[in-house]
Amino acid sequence: MKRIFTFLFVVLFSAGVLAQKNNSTAQRLAWFKNAKLGIFIHWGIYSVDGITASWPMKWKKMSWEDYMKQSTGFTAKNYHPDQWAQLFKEAGARYAVLTTKHHDGFALWPTRYSKLNCVDHSPAKRDLIGPYAEAMRKAGIKVGFYFSLLDWSNKDYHVDFPRPEKTLKKLYPQPAWEKHLNAHQRFLRFMFGQLSELSHRYHPDLFWFDGDWEHPAEWWQAQSLKDSLLTWDKKVVVNGRLRGYGDYQTPEQGIPTTPPKGPWEFCMTINDHWGYVPSDTNYKPAAQIIRTFVKIISEGGNLLLDVGPKPDGTIDSADVRILKTLGAWIRRNKEAVYGSTAGLPPGHFYGPTLLSKDKKTLYLALFGQPKDYIGLAGVRNKILNIRVLGTDKTLKWVRNGGAKWKNIPGLLRIEAPSSKDLDPYVTILAVDLEGPIDIYQ
Ligand code: GLC
């Protein structure tokens, strides 16, 4: 009997703990799930030569020394994070994620753990993270920090390209008491130290890790890292690149053809690089970016769209143009963007769909100019109204076929909007339903 009680107690207790944990994860992620659009910012010394961020060292295309010489041109002299915030707001973004430190190890804040930072090692000579966090917060934009777990300049982090070990020793000073630690232990102390600094000094809403692929979870002490982050700030959200200990998934560059399970975010560059590379003019057209955005949010994800500021802190006009065009589209269609959830499963409509929170409005996205009529299958509800977002034009519809006695709905044939009611990029039709959506499959 006693055993049964103990067993029941353990089961109920663990269920309670789990429920609490799940509940708080959902609470932490509440803002993230409604955010829809974030702006990714890859800003670092790689913008000076306008090259790929960090990787040229790893690919042995550039020596560590030549790569680091770029820091002498990193001025930040026109860096006005308030202007960034205004631009991101105009783009319709609800969060931003800035590279506090990329794989190259160069930190954008005056970290006491290394001299390889913008205050000690560049003409910028000031903290760039604090003003960013403050400006975003003032504009109502959630503050995200990208942080590369791996650090290709840290003397205690093993790499397979040559580095000037003496210089590194000076750049990454080691307290005397650390002598008894091995390189791995020293690196972990360094990594936890930098993250603790970022968390305690700036209180970000989101940590966006990268570079976890170089080691397994135990090596990074991923579990303990996640626990520490939550101890330092119980509200913080953590992306998925933490060897399974993150809160959401982050596919990049290739649009997932089937959406990931659970919360997720898709990150994408505007041209082919994350940072500022002026020789790369392969910009995605606004149409592609807007369609991608619609597809991602129709499957319950967020889009994290990347910009690469110049060494002086200004954002290139090509990026600005794209952000403004996307923002203008979002403003025309905001009813379907914010507060909506993923739409219908495949088979009902040829294109992305979204649903309002109360499930009483279904949004249909048209990527092209519809011919004859727009078909919508398997919706049982009575239709109250069909509107074109942006112009408020109402459209006619007829229901055709179906089998009433079996509650099988007929096909809705919706009148195709005339070209003057079509959006230049993606047209959204709002289908107002009597009651929450009821589908037949
Ligand atoms: C990859 C790249 C890195 C980039 C990141 C953005 O991990 O290695 O350079 O910052 O993607 O998601």
Side-chain angles (χ1 to χ4, degrees), residues 115-384:
K115 292 200 171 10
L116 195 59
N117 69 66
C118 59
V119 173
D120 295 318
H121 207 81
S122 84
K125 290 224 175 315
R126 58 182 167 128
D127 178 18
L128 302 173
I129 296 300
Y132 153 80
E134 202 178 305
M136 296 302 141
R137 228 164 248 139
K138 216 166 67 197
I141 294 173
K142 294 279 184 191
V143 177
F145 285 178
Y146 169 107
F147 182 89
S148 172
L149 294 167
L150 62 83
D151 185 318
W152 290 335
S153 291
N154 187 304
K155 64 175 177 45
D156 293 320
Y157 191 86
H158 177 78
V159 298
D160 50 14
F161 56 88
R163 298 182 304 187
E165 298 302 330
K166 268 197 193 137
T167 313
L168 298 191
K169 272 206 166 131
K170 280 191 213 133
L171 288 174
Y172 287 74
Q174 179 187 316
W177 67 268
E178 276 194 352
K179 289 259 158 56
H180 68 282
L181 302 180
N182 65 31
H184 180 206
Q185 290 166 331
R186 287 197 301 269
F187 181 76
L188 286 175
R189 192 202 64 91
F190 161 83
M191 186 185 86
F192 274 73
Q194 283 203 325
L195 287 167
S196 164
E197 261 183 349
L198 286 172
S199 174
H200 289 103
R201 267 191 218 170
Y202 310 112
H203 313 286
D205 301 292
L206 165 72
F207 268 109
W208 209 102
F209 291 117
D210 196 19
D212 64 345
W213 65 81
E214 285 203 347
H215 296 284
E218 305 74 54
W219 198 94
W220 297 116
Q221 299 205 350
Q223 163 103 65
S224 144
L225 178 56
K226 175 77 179 293
D227 292 346
S228 303
L229 294 169
L230 287 176
T231 309
W232 297 332
D233 180 352
K234 62 180 193 305
K235 292 203 296 289
V236 78
V237 174
V238 179
N239 82 330
R241 300 189 186 177
L242 191 55
R243 288 294 192 185
Y245 289 92
D247 298 318
Y248 68 87
Q249 298 195 59
T250 57
E252 80 180 49
Q253 296 290 44
I255 304 169
T257 50
T258 39
K261 297 223 163 19
W264 63 286
E265 165 201 75
F266 173 63
C267 56
M268 184 175 81
T269 52
I270 291 180
N271 55 8
D272 290 330
H273 287 86
W274 298 103
Y276 175 62
V277 178
S279 60
D280 175 0
T281 55
N282 192 25
Y283 294 109
K284 294 173 181 68
Q288 184 184 345
I289 285 173
I290 294 170
R291 286 187 193 194
T292 302
F293 176 61
V294 174
K295 178 174 157 60
I296 299 299
I297 64 171
S298 79
E299 291 170 352
N302 289 340
L303 174 67
L304 184 62
L305 185 62
D306 181 76
V307 298
K310 298 178 188 179
D312 71 350
T314 55
I315 297 177
D316 192 66
S317 59
D319 288 349
V320 171
R321 215 172 308 125
I322 287 285
L323 294 196
K324 289 191 172 175
T325 309
L326 173 59
W329 183 89
I330 292 179
R331 274 194 296 285
R332 290 196 291 281
N333 295 283
K334 61 177 179 299
E335 181 191 322
V337 173
Y338 304 116
S340 65
T341 60
L344 299 176
H348 294 270
F349 177 69
Y350 287 102
T353 62
L354 292 142
L355 273 166
S356 62
K357 273 240 170 76
D358 64 6
K359 310 240 180 290
K360 289 184 184 166
T361 302
L362 172 66
Y363 300 99
L364 310 175
L366 308 176
F367 281 179
Q369 175 144 26
K371 213 173 151 216
D372 302 329
Y373 66 87
I374 296 150
L376 175 62
V379 174
R380 287 187 172 125
N381 308 64
K382 184 177 167 196
I383 308 297
L384 301 177

Side-chain angles (χ1 to χ4, degrees), residues 385-402:
N385 197 15
I386 302 184
R387 303 169 278 131
V388 182
L389 294 194
T391 69
D392 278 341
K393 164 87 183 163
T394 55
L395 300 174
K396 298 195 188 79
W397 71 91
V398 286
R399 204 185 279 269
N400 181 267

Side-chain angles (χ1 to χ4, degrees), residues 388-435:
V388 182
L389 294 194
T391 69
D392 278 341
K393 164 87 183 163
T394 55
L395 300 174
K396 298 195 188 79
W397 71 91
V398 286
R399 204 185 279 269
N400 181 267
K404 260 206 174 136
W405 65 96
K406 278 184 154 176
N407 202 12
I408 299 173
L411 177 82
L412 278 178
R413 280 198 327 250
I414 304 168
E415 169 195 3
S418 66
S419 43
K420 72 174 193 333
D421 289 309
L422 289 175
D423 188 275
Y425 300 105
V426 175
T427 307
I428 304 277
L429 306 186
V431 181
D432 296 318
L433 311 167
E434 190 179 72

